[in-house]
Amino acid sequence: MIVVRICLIYITISITSAFDWKTMNRRLLSREPEPPLFSGKPLTVHVGMFFESMSNLKESQMSIDVDIYLYMSWKDQNLAHTDGTWTINTPEHKKKIWTPDVYFANAMSAKLHDVTVPNFNLYIKNDGTVAFSLRTTLTVACPLDLRNYPMDEQHCKIEALSYSFTEEMVRLRWFRTQPISINEEITLPEFVLQQTKATYCNGTYEYAVTAAGKNTGKFSCLLANLYLRRSIWHTVLSTYIPASGIVAVSWTSFYIDRRATPARVTLTFMTLLSLTSLGNGMRFSLPQVSYPKAIDFYFFACMLFVFGALIEFALVNSLMRKSEKYEKLANKYKDKKDSAHFMKSPIMSMEFQKSYETMMRMRRKSSVGVTLKEWRRKLNSAESSPNIGGSSSRVHFDPPVLTDSESEEMPRHRVEDEFIASYYDNVQPNNNANGHLKNSRHSNSSGSSNESKQLIGPKRVSINLPNNVNQNSRRQSVAPDSALVTEYTEFAHVLSRRALNIDKLSRVMFPVVFAIFNCVYWAYYLVSSKNKFE
């Protein structure tokens, strides 16, 4: 009995289903799609959206691609029946059913999916309630506000409204519960989806436009809001850190010798060129907007710092050129027999007092502690020796090296008078202090002249003596003036020290000011862009 009953139930269900399908097929194919509009009462269409994926947010085109499932529900009394829920998924049956003419106003392009079958379905209940869903991919225009780029938050919209029916005929409404839902696995390369919000954008639009006139009416409009926040770390690693590194490299010019003009100029111009190339590469990937962006201000500030390093070098170089000018004037008016002219200046004497102990330690370590008296003694003995064969000969002397005790016992005035040195910062030593280290021109008995050459090294002194040595040196072109020598030497020292002080100040001021700028910059833009849409 049980088996018989089960068979009867199965046969009854099969006959009923076949009857329902045949009835639905007959009724749908024999009718014309009519809008379920009633006079004086608008048709309410409820809409919901599910965002399956998002991709390709393009700053240059200001657009974003979204893949959505669109759900719509309305009631059509013409489709009321007693045969259960009808399921429709064929295009032939769908054409016989009226569906709302909802379109996306700000979509740049759209397509319906039809793999492996057209992606839509219709469910019709007994009372005529229709549930319609489809899948579509939209490329939606998304105007971007890049003033805070890359600390920006973007607001993209999807507008859905009826194309033909005014609000008096068709009224669009969001689902009461969860009108917009999203896939939790949605990810974007540079953005994070903060939130979604369903609102309305009802407005007055023109329709039925002809040459004679046009109609104006209110249309229902649904607005799906997408709030996106940019992930800043990609831009920090690819743009901000390299730009800051280039600025820091430009500061190394403050540590290079201020007389090394080619090195400092090359370094500054290379950093300026690198920063310009980095900024141009970044701008090419963004749309050409009429307002400055946050990253533009940062690059402009970096450019100012690099340009400031170039201006600082120009100032230092100007001071050093003046210092060299006064140094040459001091050498011009210097008495060649007066080797301690710098001690007549109070400025130079003070500098000598400060660096005397350091100088002595350096000279003892380098084994160059040779006094001029010893060198003169060997030179005189070499001059008195006869030449063999009437040709010039080269005599080599190994200079005596003073021990620490001998250097300490040596009177200070003797060291000051006999050591070859220059006591203002970063100026080449003057090797012509006593008139014996300068190349002198001597005349022989036949009227011919040769120049004597000498080489002073840390371990050996080499002297090239002519056939006949004349003890009288060439006359100076100008008369010696110790007052001018002292004045010019002081000017040269002051200008050189001033240039050095500018470099030392720049070593501290540039990093400090750049750090303060970074603190103000990041604090302002991070705070101003935070919770923008709340």
Side-chain angles (χ1 to χ4, degrees):
M1 292 295 296
I2 296 176
V3 175
V4 173
R5 287 182 181 180
I6 292 175
C7 292
L8 291 175
I9 292 173
Y10 177 77
I11 294 172
T12 303
I13 293 174
S14 300
I15 295 173
T16 304
S17 301
F19 177 78
D20 291 344
W21 172 253
K22 291 181 179 179
T23 302
M24 180 193 70
N25 185 53
R26 184 181 66 254
R27 290 184 59 179
L28 289 179
L29 294 179
S30 62
R31 70 186 300 273
E32 294 295 330
E34 298 178 358
L37 304 177
F38 303 94
S39 59
K41 187 177 180 181
L43 175 65
T44 301
V45 179
H46 293 91
V47 180
M49 294 182 184
F50 177 82
F51 288 85
E52 177 66 27
S53 64
M54 299 180 188
S55 61
N56 295 335
L57 199 157
K58 303 175 182 178
E59 288 89 351
S60 58
Q61 299 180 5
M62 293 195 176
S63 64
I64 184 174
D65 295 343
V66 293
D67 187 9
I68 65 174
Y69 290 92
L70 179 65
Y71 303 103
M72 291 184 290
S73 175
W74 69 94
K75 191 171 185 180
D76 189 350
Q77 294 291 345
N78 299 326
L79 298 177
H81 61 279
T82 59
D83 302 328
T85 301
W86 291 350
T87 301
I88 300 172
N89 60 356
T90 58
E92 293 79 9
H93 292 88
K94 177 180 174 295
K95 293 178 181 178
K96 297 297 181 177
I97 300 175
W98 178 88
T99 55
D101 58 344
V102 175
Y103 80 106
F104 299 96
N106 62 334
M108 301 172 62
S109 62
K111 70 173 184 178
L112 296 174
H113 295 263
D114 54 1
V115 179
T116 59
V117 294
N119 295 172
F120 78 92
N121 56 38
L122 274 165
Y123 297 95
I124 304 175
K125 296 184 178 180
N126 296 344
D127 59 352
T129 300
V130 180
F132 174 55
S133 66
L134 59 86
R135 182 187 178 191
T136 180
T137 298
L138 308 174
T139 301
V140 183
C142 181
L144 303 179
D145 184 5
L146 299 174
R147 288 182 173 84
N148 291 338
Y149 177 87
M151 287 79 66
D152 56 330
E153 293 183 345
Q154 302 300 335
H155 178 200
C156 297
K157 306 175 184 177
I158 300 178
E159 299 177 359
L161 64 159
S162 175
Y163 195 89
S164 304
F165 300 103
T166 63
E167 192 175 14
E168 297 175 354
M169 293 182 286
V170 175
R171 183 175 57 184
L172 301 180
R173 291 292 182 268
W174 287 108
F175 287 165
R176 293 185 179 89
T177 58
Q178 199 173 4
I180 298 178
S181 54
I182 62 173
N183 185 359
E184 297 296 335
E185 297 180 357
I186 289 180
T187 57
L188 291 170
E190 291 189 47
F191 287 88
V192 177
L193 182 60
Q194 294 288 99
Q195 62 175 333
T196 59
K197 189 175 182 181
T199 57
Y200 295 92
C201 54
N202 300 338
T204 302
Y205 303 93
E206 298 176 354
Y207 68 99
V209 180
T210 63
K214 57 187 176 181
N215 295 338
T216 303
K218 294 182 178 181
F219 286 77
S220 288
C221 178
L222 303 179
L223 188 63
N225 300 279
L226 306 176
Y227 298 102
L228 306 171
R229 179 186 291 274
R230 189 185 300 273
S231 179
I232 192 176
W233 290 110
H234 170 74
T235 309
V236 169
L237 295 176
S238 62
T239 304
Y240 281 94
I241 292 180
S244 302
I246 292 174
V247 174
V249 168
S250 68
W251 299 338
T252 58
S253 65
F254 306 146
Y255 297 88
I256 300 177
D257 192 290
R258 51 193 180 281
R259 292 192 176 216
T261 302
R264 297 187 66 164
V265 170
T266 302
L267 176 63
T268 307
F269 274 100
M270 287 299 294
T271 54
L272 192 63
L273 181 60
S274 301
L275 190 62
T276 303
S277 301
L278 181 64
N280 291 336
M282 179 273 303
R283 295 186 189 95
F284 288 154
S285 62
L286 297 175
Q288 304 299 320
V289 294
S290 59
Y291 50 82
K293 301 177 287 293
I295 198 169
D296 292 334
F297 288 112
Y298 193 86
F299 267 92
F300 180 73
C302 292
M303 198 75 69
L304 285 181
F305 277 96
V306 176
F307 188 72
L310 181 61
I311 297 299
E312 187 271 350
F313 165 70
L315 180 59
V316 169
N317 186 60
S318 176
L319 294 175
M320 291 307 301
R321 290 174 67 88
K322 292 181 181 179
S323 176
E324 293 175 357
K325 175 183 176 181
Y326 285 115
E327 180 185 359
K328 292 179 180 179
L329 290 175
N331 292 333
K332 181 178 180 181
Y333 288 97
K334 181 173 57 178
D335 187 358
K336 305 305 179 181
K337 298 180 180 180
D338 187 5
S339 61
H341 61 86
F342 55 88
M343 296 306 298
K344 300 178 182 179
S345 167
I347 296 178
M348 303 308 297
S349 177
M350 179 179 63
E351 291 296 326
F352 180 82
Q353 295 294 334
K354 292 180 180 179
S355 59
Y356 174 75
E357 291 78 5
T358 303
M359 179 198 69
M360 290 301 300
R361 289 194 298 269
M362 292 177 63
R363 289 190 178 278
R364 285 197 298 268
K365 291 180 180 180
S366 60
S367 301
V368 193
V370 182
T371 62
L372 292 179
K373 183 177 180 181
E374 183 69 17
W375 186 86
R376 293 194 192 100
R377 185 183 63 77
K378 293 188 177 183
L379 178 63
N380 294 332
S381 62
E383 291 174 352
S384 61
S385 62
N387 296 330
I388 301 174
S391 59
S392 62
S393 60
R394 182 177 298 273
V395 183
H396 299 281
F397 301 108
D398 290 330
V401 180
L402 298 180
T403 62
D404 294 347
S405 58
E406 292 174 346
S407 299
E408 293 175 356
E409 294 175 358
M410 184 182 297
R412 177 169 297 185
H413 66 85
R414 179 181 174 185
V415 177
E416 295 168 358
D417 183 57
E418 295 182 351
F419 275 107
I420 304 170
S422 178
Y423 296 100
Y424 56 93
D425 184 79
N426 212 11
V427 177
Q428 296 297 328
N430 181 13
N431 295 328
N432 304 322
N434 295 297
H436 295 279
L437 301 181
K438 182 180 179 181
N439 293 335
S440 301
R441 180 170 297 176
H442 304 276
S443 300
N444 54 17
S445 58
S446 61
S448 61
S449 61
N450 295 317
E451 293 184 358
S452 62
K453 299 179 181 179
Q454 60 280 344
L455 176 64
I456 300 179
K459 293 298 183 180
R460 186 174 297 276
V461 179
S462 300
I463 304 173
N464 186 16
L465 297 177
N467 295 332
N468 296 318
V469 179
N470 189 358
Q471 299 297 332
N472 297 324
S473 61
R474 185 176 55 185
R475 293 180 176 270
Q476 296 182 353
S477 58
V478 294
D481 191 334
S482 60
L484 288 178
V485 171
T486 302
E487 183 179 359
Y488 290 149
T489 303
E490 289 180 353
F491 285 164
H493 172 74
V494 170
L495 291 173
S496 179
R497 296 299 298 182
R498 186 175 298 173
L500 178 61
N501 291 335
I502 292 176
D503 269 348
K504 289 182 177 179
L505 182 63
S506 299
R507 295 170 191 173
V508 177
M509 291 302 298
F510 273 74
V512 169
V513 174
F514 189 69
I516 293 174
F517 163 75
N518 274 274
C519 293
V520 174
Y521 175 87
W522 291 105
Y524 174 78
Y525 280 105
L526 291 179
V527 171
S528 63
S529 61
K530 187 177 181 180
N531 300 326
K532 179 179 178 181
F533 301 117
E534 293 183 359

PDB file of all heavy atoms in Angstrom, residues 65-87:
ATOM      1  N   ASP A  65      35.558  50.023 -12.991  1.00  0.00           N
ATOM      2  CA  ASP A  65      34.766  48.894 -13.474  1.00  0.00           C
ATOM      3  C   ASP A  65      34.158  48.167 -12.284  1.00  0.00           C
ATOM      4  O   ASP A  65      34.864  47.853 -11.307  1.00  0.00           O
ATOM      5  CB  ASP A  65      35.627  47.922 -14.277  1.00  0.00           C
ATOM      6  CG  ASP A  65      36.162  48.544 -15.553  1.00  0.00           C
ATOM      7  OD1 ASP A  65      35.628  49.587 -15.969  1.00  0.00           O
ATOM      8  OD2 ASP A  65      37.128  47.996 -16.121  1.00  0.00           O
ATOM      9  N   VAL A  66      32.840  47.889 -12.381  1.00  0.00           N
ATOM     10  CA  VAL A  66      32.130  47.178 -11.320  1.00  0.00           C
ATOM     11  C   VAL A  66      31.318  46.058 -11.954  1.00  0.00           C
ATOM     12  O   VAL A  66      30.742  46.217 -13.037  1.00  0.00           O
ATOM     13  CB  VAL A  66      31.218  48.116 -10.506  1.00  0.00           C
ATOM     14  CG1 VAL A  66      32.047  49.107  -9.709  1.00  0.00           C
ATOM     15  CG2 VAL A  66      30.237  48.849 -11.400  1.00  0.00           C
ATOM     16  N   ASP A  67      31.304  44.937 -11.286  1.00  0.00           N
ATOM     17  CA  ASP A  67      30.495  43.781 -11.697  1.00  0.00           C
ATOM     18  C   ASP A  67      29.416  43.600 -10.647  1.00  0.00           C
ATOM     19  O   ASP A  67      29.717  43.316  -9.477  1.00  0.00           O
ATOM     20  CB  ASP A  67      31.391  42.544 -11.800  1.00  0.00           C
ATOM     21  CG  ASP A  67      30.651  41.360 -12.378  1.00  0.00           C
ATOM     22  OD1 ASP A  67      29.516  41.540 -12.855  1.00  0.00           O
ATOM     23  OD2 ASP A  67      31.213  40.238 -12.351  1.00  0.00           O
ATOM     24  N   ILE A  68      28.147  43.779 -11.050  1.00  0.00           N
ATOM     25  CA  ILE A  68      27.058  43.806 -10.074  1.00  0.00           C
ATOM     26  C   ILE A  68      25.945  42.847 -10.494  1.00  0.00           C
ATOM     27  O   ILE A  68      25.767  42.522 -11.680  1.00  0.00           O
ATOM     28  CB  ILE A  68      26.482  45.228  -9.896  1.00  0.00           C
ATOM     29  CG1 ILE A  68      25.822  45.705 -11.198  1.00  0.00           C
ATOM     30  CG2 ILE A  68      27.539  46.198  -9.432  1.00  0.00           C
ATOM     31  CD1 ILE A  68      25.105  47.025 -11.053  1.00  0.00           C
ATOM     32  N   TYR A  69      25.208  42.397  -9.470  1.00  0.00           N
ATOM     33  CA  TYR A  69      23.933  41.708  -9.664  1.00  0.00           C
ATOM     34  C   TYR A  69      22.835  42.714  -9.325  1.00  0.00           C
ATOM     35  O   TYR A  69      22.804  43.244  -8.204  1.00  0.00           O
ATOM     36  CB  TYR A  69      23.834  40.490  -8.767  1.00  0.00           C
ATOM     37  CG  TYR A  69      24.759  39.360  -9.161  1.00  0.00           C
ATOM     38  CD1 TYR A  69      26.027  39.267  -8.597  1.00  0.00           C
ATOM     39  CD2 TYR A  69      24.359  38.397 -10.086  1.00  0.00           C
ATOM     40  CE1 TYR A  69      26.876  38.233  -8.950  1.00  0.00           C
ATOM     41  CE2 TYR A  69      25.209  37.360 -10.445  1.00  0.00           C
ATOM     42  CZ  TYR A  69      26.469  37.284  -9.877  1.00  0.00           C
ATOM     43  OH  TYR A  69      27.311  36.260 -10.242  1.00  0.00           O
ATOM     44  N   LEU A  70      21.958  42.947 -10.278  1.00  0.00           N
ATOM     45  CA  LEU A  70      20.873  43.905 -10.100  1.00  0.00           C
ATOM     46  C   LEU A  70      19.582  43.138  -9.813  1.00  0.00           C
ATOM     47  O   LEU A  70      19.183  42.253 -10.584  1.00  0.00           O
ATOM     48  CB  LEU A  70      20.711  44.762 -11.352  1.00  0.00           C
ATOM     49  CG  LEU A  70      19.595  45.814 -11.329  1.00  0.00           C
ATOM     50  CD1 LEU A  70      19.878  46.884 -10.268  1.00  0.00           C
ATOM     51  CD2 LEU A  70      19.430  46.452 -12.703  1.00  0.00           C
ATOM     52  N   TYR A  71      18.955  43.476  -8.688  1.00  0.00           N
ATOM     53  CA  TYR A  71      17.698  42.839  -8.282  1.00  0.00           C
ATOM     54  C   TYR A  71      16.584  43.872  -8.354  1.00  0.00           C
ATOM     55  O   TYR A  71      16.731  44.996  -7.845  1.00  0.00           O
ATOM     56  CB  TYR A  71      17.796  42.282  -6.866  1.00  0.00           C
ATOM     57  CG  TYR A  71      18.924  41.298  -6.670  1.00  0.00           C
ATOM     58  CD1 TYR A  71      20.104  41.673  -6.030  1.00  0.00           C
ATOM     59  CD2 TYR A  71      18.808  39.996  -7.121  1.00  0.00           C
ATOM     60  CE1 TYR A  71      21.136  40.768  -5.850  1.00  0.00           C
ATOM     61  CE2 TYR A  71      19.836  39.080  -6.941  1.00  0.00           C
ATOM     62  CZ  TYR A  71      20.997  39.475  -6.307  1.00  0.00           C
ATOM     63  OH  TYR A  71      22.014  38.574  -6.143  1.00  0.00           O
ATOM     64  N   MET A  72      15.448  43.476  -8.966  1.00  0.00           N
ATOM     65  CA  MET A  72      14.265  44.334  -9.032  1.00  0.00           C
ATOM     66  C   MET A  72      13.018  43.516  -8.707  1.00  0.00           C
ATOM     67  O   MET A  72      12.939  42.327  -9.084  1.00  0.00           O
ATOM     68  CB  MET A  72      14.132  44.964 -10.421  1.00  0.00           C
ATOM     69  CG  MET A  72      15.207  45.989 -10.735  1.00  0.00           C
ATOM     70  SD  MET A  72      14.956  46.813 -12.330  1.00  0.00           S
ATOM     71  CE  MET A  72      15.310  45.469 -13.454  1.00  0.00           C
ATOM     72  N   SER A  73      12.094  44.142  -8.044  1.00  0.00           N
ATOM     73  CA  SER A  73      10.860  43.464  -7.643  1.00  0.00           C
ATOM     74  C   SER A  73       9.692  44.430  -7.810  1.00  0.00           C
ATOM     75  O   SER A  73       9.773  45.595  -7.392  1.00  0.00           O
ATOM     76  CB  SER A  73      10.972  42.984  -6.194  1.00  0.00           C
ATOM     77  OG  SER A  73       9.751  42.433  -5.761  1.00  0.00           O
ATOM     78  N   TRP A  74       8.600  43.977  -8.389  1.00  0.00           N
ATOM     79  CA  TRP A  74       7.369  44.760  -8.566  1.00  0.00           C
ATOM     80  C   TRP A  74       6.194  43.785  -8.646  1.00  0.00           C
ATOM     81  O   TRP A  74       6.376  42.565  -8.724  1.00  0.00           O
ATOM     82  CB  TRP A  74       7.465  45.635  -9.817  1.00  0.00           C
ATOM     83  CG  TRP A  74       7.464  44.890 -11.119  1.00  0.00           C
ATOM     84  CD1 TRP A  74       6.391  44.604 -11.906  1.00  0.00           C
ATOM     85  CD2 TRP A  74       8.594  44.312 -11.748  1.00  0.00           C
ATOM     86  NE1 TRP A  74       6.771  43.887 -12.997  1.00  0.00           N
ATOM     87  CE2 TRP A  74       8.128  43.697 -12.935  1.00  0.00           C
ATOM     88  CE3 TRP A  74       9.958  44.230 -11.458  1.00  0.00           C
ATOM     89  CZ2 TRP A  74       8.971  43.015 -13.811  1.00  0.00           C
ATOM     90  CZ3 TRP A  74      10.791  43.567 -12.322  1.00  0.00           C
ATOM     91  CH2 TRP A  74      10.306  42.972 -13.480  1.00  0.00           C
ATOM     92  N   LYS A  75       5.029  44.331  -8.666  1.00  0.00           N
ATOM     93  CA  LYS A  75       3.816  43.504  -8.693  1.00  0.00           C
ATOM     94  C   LYS A  75       3.040  43.784  -9.964  1.00  0.00           C
ATOM     95  O   LYS A  75       2.694  44.916 -10.257  1.00  0.00           O
ATOM     96  CB  LYS A  75       2.947  43.790  -7.472  1.00  0.00           C
ATOM     97  CG  LYS A  75       1.817  42.795  -7.276  1.00  0.00           C
ATOM     98  CD  LYS A  75       1.145  43.019  -5.937  1.00  0.00           C
ATOM     99  CE  LYS A  75       0.080  41.934  -5.693  1.00  0.00           C
ATOM    100  NZ  LYS A  75      -0.597  42.113  -4.385  1.00  0.00           N
ATOM    101  N   ASP A  76       2.750  42.709 -10.710  1.00  0.00           N
ATOM    102  CA  ASP A  76       2.002  42.808 -11.964  1.00  0.00           C
ATOM    103  C   ASP A  76       0.756  41.925 -11.840  1.00  0.00           C
ATOM    104  O   ASP A  76       0.841  40.689 -11.865  1.00  0.00           O
ATOM    105  CB  ASP A  76       2.888  42.350 -13.123  1.00  0.00           C
ATOM    106  CG  ASP A  76       2.260  42.628 -14.479  1.00  0.00           C
ATOM    107  OD1 ASP A  76       1.065  42.997 -14.517  1.00  0.00           O
ATOM    108  OD2 ASP A  76       2.968  42.474 -15.497  1.00  0.00           O
ATOM    109  N   GLN A  77      -0.400  42.550 -11.691  1.00  0.00           N
ATOM    110  CA  GLN A  77      -1.642  41.793 -11.518  1.00  0.00           C
ATOM    111  C   GLN A  77      -1.968  40.956 -12.753  1.00  0.00           C
ATOM    112  O   GLN A  77      -2.681  39.952 -12.646  1.00  0.00           O
ATOM    113  CB  GLN A  77      -2.800  42.759 -11.233  1.00  0.00           C
ATOM    114  CG  GLN A  77      -2.707  43.487  -9.921  1.00  0.00           C
ATOM    115  CD  GLN A  77      -2.892  42.566  -8.730  1.00  0.00           C
ATOM    116  OE1 GLN A  77      -3.359  41.428  -8.861  1.00  0.00           O
ATOM    117  NE2 GLN A  77      -2.501  43.048  -7.541  1.00  0.00           N
ATOM    118  N   ASN A  78      -1.473  41.348 -13.902  1.00  0.00           N
ATOM    119  CA  ASN A  78      -1.753  40.571 -15.107  1.00  0.00           C
ATOM    120  C   ASN A  78      -1.092  39.202 -15.086  1.00  0.00           C
ATOM    121  O   ASN A  78      -1.459  38.322 -15.880  1.00  0.00           O
ATOM    122  CB  ASN A  78      -1.277  41.330 -16.344  1.00  0.00           C
ATOM    123  CG  ASN A  78      -1.990  42.662 -16.505  1.00  0.00           C
ATOM    124  OD1 ASN A  78      -3.178  42.791 -16.155  1.00  0.00           O
ATOM    125  ND2 ASN A  78      -1.272  43.655 -17.037  1.00  0.00           N
ATOM    126  N   LEU A  79      -0.094  39.012 -14.221  1.00  0.00           N
ATOM    127  CA  LEU A  79       0.618  37.745 -14.148  1.00  0.00           C
ATOM    128  C   LEU A  79       0.188  36.895 -12.954  1.00  0.00           C
ATOM    129  O   LEU A  79       0.846  35.885 -12.652  1.00  0.00           O
ATOM    130  CB  LEU A  79       2.133  37.992 -14.074  1.00  0.00           C
ATOM    131  CG  LEU A  79       2.746  38.692 -15.284  1.00  0.00           C
ATOM    132  CD1 LEU A  79       4.234  38.935 -15.044  1.00  0.00           C
ATOM    133  CD2 LEU A  79       2.557  37.853 -16.547  1.00  0.00           C
ATOM    134  N   ALA A  80      -0.884  37.285 -12.255  1.00  0.00           N
ATOM    135  CA  ALA A  80      -1.376  36.478 -11.126  1.00  0.00           C
ATOM    136  C   ALA A  80      -1.898  35.139 -11.647  1.00  0.00           C
ATOM    137  O   ALA A  80      -2.538  35.062 -12.701  1.00  0.00           O
ATOM    138  CB  ALA A  80      -2.461  37.232 -10.383  1.00  0.00           C
ATOM    139  N   HIS A  81      -1.625  34.082 -10.905  1.00  0.00           N
ATOM    140  CA  HIS A  81      -2.020  32.745 -11.316  1.00  0.00           C
ATOM    141  C   HIS A  81      -2.142  31.868 -10.071  1.00  0.00           C
ATOM    142  O   HIS A  81      -1.837  32.301  -8.954  1.00  0.00           O
ATOM    143  CB  HIS A  81      -0.979  32.158 -12.289  1.00  0.00           C
ATOM    144  CG  HIS A  81       0.381  32.040 -11.683  1.00  0.00           C
ATOM    145  ND1 HIS A  81       1.260  33.097 -11.590  1.00  0.00           N
ATOM    146  CD2 HIS A  81       1.007  30.962 -11.107  1.00  0.00           C
ATOM    147  CE1 HIS A  81       2.362  32.705 -11.010  1.00  0.00           C
ATOM    148  NE2 HIS A  81       2.235  31.413 -10.702  1.00  0.00           N
ATOM    149  N   THR A  82      -2.591  30.637 -10.317  1.00  0.00           N
ATOM    150  CA  THR A  82      -2.786  29.677  -9.210  1.00  0.00           C
ATOM    151  C   THR A  82      -1.931  28.433  -9.390  1.00  0.00           C
ATOM    152  O   THR A  82      -2.223  27.388  -8.812  1.00  0.00           O
ATOM    153  CB  THR A  82      -4.265  29.281  -9.131  1.00  0.00           C
ATOM    154  OG1 THR A  82      -4.659  28.701 -10.382  1.00  0.00           O
ATOM    155  CG2 THR A  82      -5.127  30.492  -8.800  1.00  0.00           C
ATOM    156  N   ASP A  83      -0.898  28.547 -10.177  1.00  0.00           N
ATOM    157  CA  ASP A  83      -0.100  27.373 -10.520  1.00  0.00           C
ATOM    158  C   ASP A  83       1.261  27.349  -9.818  1.00  0.00           C
ATOM    159  O   ASP A  83       2.213  26.756 -10.318  1.00  0.00           O
ATOM    160  CB  ASP A  83       0.125  27.322 -12.033  1.00  0.00           C
ATOM    161  CG  ASP A  83      -1.169  27.284 -12.807  1.00  0.00           C
ATOM    162  OD1 ASP A  83      -2.132  26.705 -12.283  1.00  0.00           O
ATOM    163  OD2 ASP A  83      -1.216  27.850 -13.907  1.00  0.00           O
ATOM    164  N   GLY A  84       1.387  27.992  -8.672  1.00  0.00           N
ATOM    165  CA  GLY A  84       2.666  28.007  -7.977  1.00  0.00           C
ATOM    166  C   GLY A  84       3.572  29.108  -8.525  1.00  0.00           C
ATOM    167  O   GLY A  84       3.131  30.045  -9.202  1.00  0.00           O
ATOM    168  N   THR A  85       4.863  29.003  -8.216  1.00  0.00           N
ATOM    169  CA  THR A  85       5.850  30.002  -8.648  1.00  0.00           C
ATOM    170  C   THR A  85       6.400  29.618 -10.008  1.00  0.00           C
ATOM    171  O   THR A  85       6.901  28.507 -10.193  1.00  0.00           O
ATOM    172  CB  THR A  85       6.995  30.101  -7.626  1.00  0.00           C
ATOM    173  OG1 THR A  85       6.462  30.474  -6.352  1.00  0.00           O
ATOM    174  CG2 THR A  85       8.009  31.151  -8.075  1.00  0.00           C
ATOM    175  N   TRP A  86       6.308  30.565 -10.918  1.00  0.00           N
ATOM    176  CA  TRP A  86       6.854  30.342 -12.255  1.00  0.00           C
ATOM    177  C   TRP A  86       8.334  30.762 -12.274  1.00  0.00           C
ATOM    178  O   TRP A  86       8.702  31.815 -11.779  1.00  0.00           O
ATOM    179  CB  TRP A  86       6.099  31.148 -13.310  1.00  0.00           C
ATOM    180  CG  TRP A  86       4.686  30.652 -13.539  1.00  0.00           C
ATOM    181  CD1 TRP A  86       4.135  29.514 -13.064  1.00  0.00           C
ATOM    182  CD2 TRP A  86       3.699  31.315 -14.308  1.00  0.00           C
ATOM    183  NE1 TRP A  86       2.838  29.390 -13.468  1.00  0.00           N
ATOM    184  CE2 TRP A  86       2.535  30.497 -14.253  1.00  0.00           C
ATOM    185  CE3 TRP A  86       3.632  32.492 -15.042  1.00  0.00           C
ATOM    186  CZ2 TRP A  86       1.353  30.819 -14.890  1.00  0.00           C
ATOM    187  CZ3 TRP A  86       2.464  32.817 -15.684  1.00  0.00           C
ATOM    188  CH2 TRP A  86       1.331  31.989 -15.613  1.00  0.00           C
ATOM    189  N   THR A  87       9.137  29.939 -12.896  1.00  0.00           N
ATOM    190  CA  THR A  87      10.550  30.243 -13.079  1.00  0.00           C
ATOM    191  C   THR A  87      10.820  30.403 -14.568  1.00  0.00           C
ATOM    192  O   THR A  87      10.549  29.479 -15.345  1.00  0.00           O
ATOM    193  CB  THR A  87      11.445  29.132 -12.511  1.00  0.00           C
ATOM    194  OG1 THR A  87      11.165  28.978 -11.120  1.00  0.00           O
ATOM    195  CG2 THR A  87      12.922  29.492 -12.697  1.00  0.00           C
TER     196      THR A  87
END
